[in-house]
């Protein structure tokens, strides 16, 4: 009948609109000739330490955009760590554009068990990756592919780690967090952390080496501390005319050195340049001598070289080809060396890097401000 035909027509039209809505909601970013997607990338920093025991290095969290439509968050504990040869047991991850959506108690304590992304991998995995569609983070990306440009993505990365001895017996189990800002002011029983990355588009994704200036930089202990001190090259007594520092280490321990930009002043101490990063040294008996170099926000490492010996440097002035341990063409904020230290009472350490001005991230107010 005409009435039934009319009803059928309306129902078919509603069904068509519903299907159209589903197609729009699942449309890849810029899936349109008239509205092409931008090239997405992340501003630096996009690598973060995975922290165990509140302050100890266990690995890294790497965040990147792949295939221009997926957010890649990788947990990696495959590198050297001072406490243990850690493995991943399970991971919990939050990513999103609304900080207030991170599951917490009414007191602001994070609840990683309620984080939407979870994975259990047993006790032998060293690297695990979450792939999250950008469309899931930015639901309107299909219709407006530039909605993500200059926006930020909050994340909180938690993991449970395990360490086993040679007989496969568990000798340590511990929670770990991706480094960042504490949810709760410290000191406190809970030490969970969060961080964020910023999405850039098109021209802002120009490779950093095409828009930067680089300097020769050296690391030194900020002030004399128990077990280590830094001195100027001019104190070597070998006629050195190059500014910079060597560090004398006489005790096992954990040391933090500041990386200072290059200077033309040969006085001792030289006119300190800007601090562009830190060097974290872990020196323990019967363990690798670990060096972690981390450039500050706004900088990246082009190359890094290390001298480690039980004898004073003997070159007229330290220069890149002379260093026994070298990493070149890094283009990263983070570099690591795992060395075998000589068995002796005194070690001499030089850490030199080529540091470059990199992409900077917009400084945002703290959540809720």
């Amino acid at each position: 009948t005409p009435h039934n035909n009319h009803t059928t027509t309306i129902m078919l039209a509603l069904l068509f609109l519903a299907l159209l809505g589903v197609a729009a909601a699942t449309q890849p970013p810029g899936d349109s000739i008239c509205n092409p997607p931008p090239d997405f990338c992340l501003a630096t920093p996009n690598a973060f330490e995975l922290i165990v025991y509140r302050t100890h290095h266990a690995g890294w969290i790497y965040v990147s955009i792949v295939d221009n439509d997926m957010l890649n968050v990788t947990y990696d504990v495959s590198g050297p760590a001072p406490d243990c040869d850690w493995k991943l047991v399970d991971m919990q991850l939050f990513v999103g554009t609304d900080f207030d959506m991170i599951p917490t108690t009414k007191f602001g304590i994070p609840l990683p068990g309620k984080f939407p992304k979870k994975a259990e991998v047993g006790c032998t995995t060293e690297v695990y990756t979450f792939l999250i569609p950008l469309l899931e983070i930015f639901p309107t990306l299909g219709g407006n592919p530039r909605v993500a440009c200059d926006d930020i993505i909050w994340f909180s990365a938690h993991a449970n780690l395990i360490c086993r001895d040679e007989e496969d017996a568990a000798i340590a189990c511990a929670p770990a967090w991706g480094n960042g800002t504490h949810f709760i002011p410290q000191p406190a029983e809970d030490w969970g952390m969060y961080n964020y990355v910023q999405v850039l588009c098109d021209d802002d994704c120009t490779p950093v080496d095409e828009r930067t200036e680089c300097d020769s930089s050296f690391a030194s202990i900020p002030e004399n501390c128990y077990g280590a001190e830094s001195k100027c090259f001019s104190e070597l007594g070998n006629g050195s005319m190059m500014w910079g520092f060597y560090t004398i280490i006489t005790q096992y321990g954990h040391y933090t050195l500041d990386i200072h930009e290059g200077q033309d002043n040969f006085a001792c101490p030289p006119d300190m340049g800007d601090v562009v990063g830190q060097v974290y040294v872990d020196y323990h008996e019967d363990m690798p001598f670990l060096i972690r170099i981390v450039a500050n926000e706004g900088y990246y490492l082009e190359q890094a070289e290390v001298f480690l010996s039980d004898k004073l440097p003997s070159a007229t002035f330290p220069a890149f080809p002379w260093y026994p341990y070298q990493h070149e063409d890094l283009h990263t904020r983070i570099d690591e060396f795992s060395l075998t230290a000589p068995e002796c009472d005194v070690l001499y350490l030089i850490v030199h890097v080529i540091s470059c001005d990199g992409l900077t991230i917009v400084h945002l107010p703290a959540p809720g401000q």
Side-chain angles (χ1 to χ4, degrees):
T1 64
H3 175 73
N4 290 336
N5 290 339
H6 181 67
T7 301
T8 301
T9 301
I10 293 175
M11 292 179 65
L12 289 173
L14 290 173
L15 179 61
F16 174 77
L17 291 174
L19 292 173
L20 197 62
V22 170
T26 57
Q27 180 184 13
D31 189 22
S32 168
I33 296 176
C34 300
N35 198 15
D39 291 325
F40 294 119
C41 66
L42 295 179
T44 56
N46 57 358
F48 308 86
E49 275 195 283
L50 185 64
I51 302 296
V52 69
Y53 299 140
R54 293 180 178 264
T55 59
H56 292 206
H57 173 86
W60 298 100
I61 302 290
Y62 299 106
V63 186
S64 62
I65 292 177
V66 295
D67 297 332
N68 213 45
D69 63 357
M70 303 288 284
L71 185 74
N72 176 315
V73 181
T74 296
Y75 291 67
D76 187 345
V77 295
S78 63
D83 301 298
C84 204
D85 183 15
W86 295 107
K87 308 295 182 185
L88 297 166
V89 177
D90 55 62
M91 291 78 61
Q92 301 80 33
L93 175 69
F94 171 90
V95 293
T97 57
D98 187 348
F99 176 84
D100 293 330
M101 292 301 292
I102 302 178
T104 62
T105 69
K106 63 180 180 180
F107 302 107
I109 298 173
L111 298 171
K114 295 187 176 180
F115 287 2
K117 305 297 179 184
K118 301 181 178 71
E120 296 183 6
V121 292
C123 302
T124 60
T125 301
E126 294 183 336
V127 180
Y128 186 86
T129 296
F130 289 94
L131 287 174
I132 304 110
L134 289 181
L135 196 61
E136 181 178 319
I137 302 170
F138 301 96
T140 61
L141 202 59
N144 179 12
R146 302 194 68 84
V147 69
C149 298
D150 299 322
D151 205 345
I152 64 164
I153 300 172
W154 298 99
F155 73 92
S156 184
H158 177 268
N160 288 302
L161 308 181
I162 191 170
C163 181
R164 296 183 181 275
D165 62 17
E166 295 179 355
E167 297 179 356
D168 203 34
I171 58 176
C173 298
W177 288 91
N179 199 19
T181 302
H182 291 285
F183 285 92
I184 303 296
Q186 300 296 296
E189 181 177 353
D190 187 272
W191 56 281
M193 292 181 279
Y194 64 88
N195 217 312
Y196 65 86
V197 290
Q198 183 184 24
V199 180
L200 300 179
C201 294
D202 294 332
D203 291 344
D204 289 333
C205 293
T206 302
V208 291
D209 58 335
E210 296 180 13
R211 43 190 280 175
T212 59
E213 295 183 359
C214 301
D215 285 298
S216 176
S217 304
F218 286 91
S220 73
I221 292 282
E223 59 183 28
N224 291 349
C225 62
Y226 179 75
E229 65 173 327
S230 293
K231 294 187 176 183
C232 303
F233 287 149
S234 59
E235 296 181 277
L236 286 171
N238 59 9
S240 174
M241 290 297 293
M242 184 177 182
W243 91 276
F245 308 95
Y246 66 99
T247 298
I248 305 169
I249 300 176
T250 58
Q251 300 285 339
Y252 294 123
H254 176 84
Y255 302 101
T256 301
L257 292 74
D258 286 337
I259 303 173
H260 295 272
E261 274 189 321
Q263 296 293 301
D264 295 326
N265 185 344
F266 300 129
C268 185
D271 181 19
M272 295 288 197
D274 292 337
V275 174
V276 298
Q278 282 72 43
V279 175
Y280 303 99
V281 174
D282 283 292
Y283 176 37
H284 302 285
E285 189 174 8
D286 298 327
M287 295 186 67
F289 190 96
L290 302 182
I291 299 172
R292 301 190 307 280
I293 306 171
V294 182
N296 286 345
E297 178 182 314
Y299 295 89
Y300 74 97
L301 305 172
E302 174 62 22
Q303 66 188 43
E305 44 263 7
V306 170
F307 171 88
L308 180 68
S309 176
D310 57 353
K311 298 179 177 60
L312 277 170
S314 58
T316 302
F317 58 88
F320 176 67
W322 171 82
Y323 286 84
Y325 309 104
Q326 305 174 5
H327 293 164
E328 299 183 78
D329 300 321
L330 294 172
H331 299 280
T332 180
R333 285 188 60 240
I334 298 163
D335 192 27
E336 296 181 336
F337 291 83
S338 179
L339 310 177
T340 300
E343 295 183 4
C344 57
D345 295 328
V346 179
L347 287 178
Y348 299 94
L349 172 69
I350 301 173
V351 178
H352 172 254
V353 304
I354 300 298
S355 59
C356 306
D357 299 333
L359 296 174
T360 57
I361 195 166
V362 175
H363 289 276
L364 300 170
Q369 295 185 358

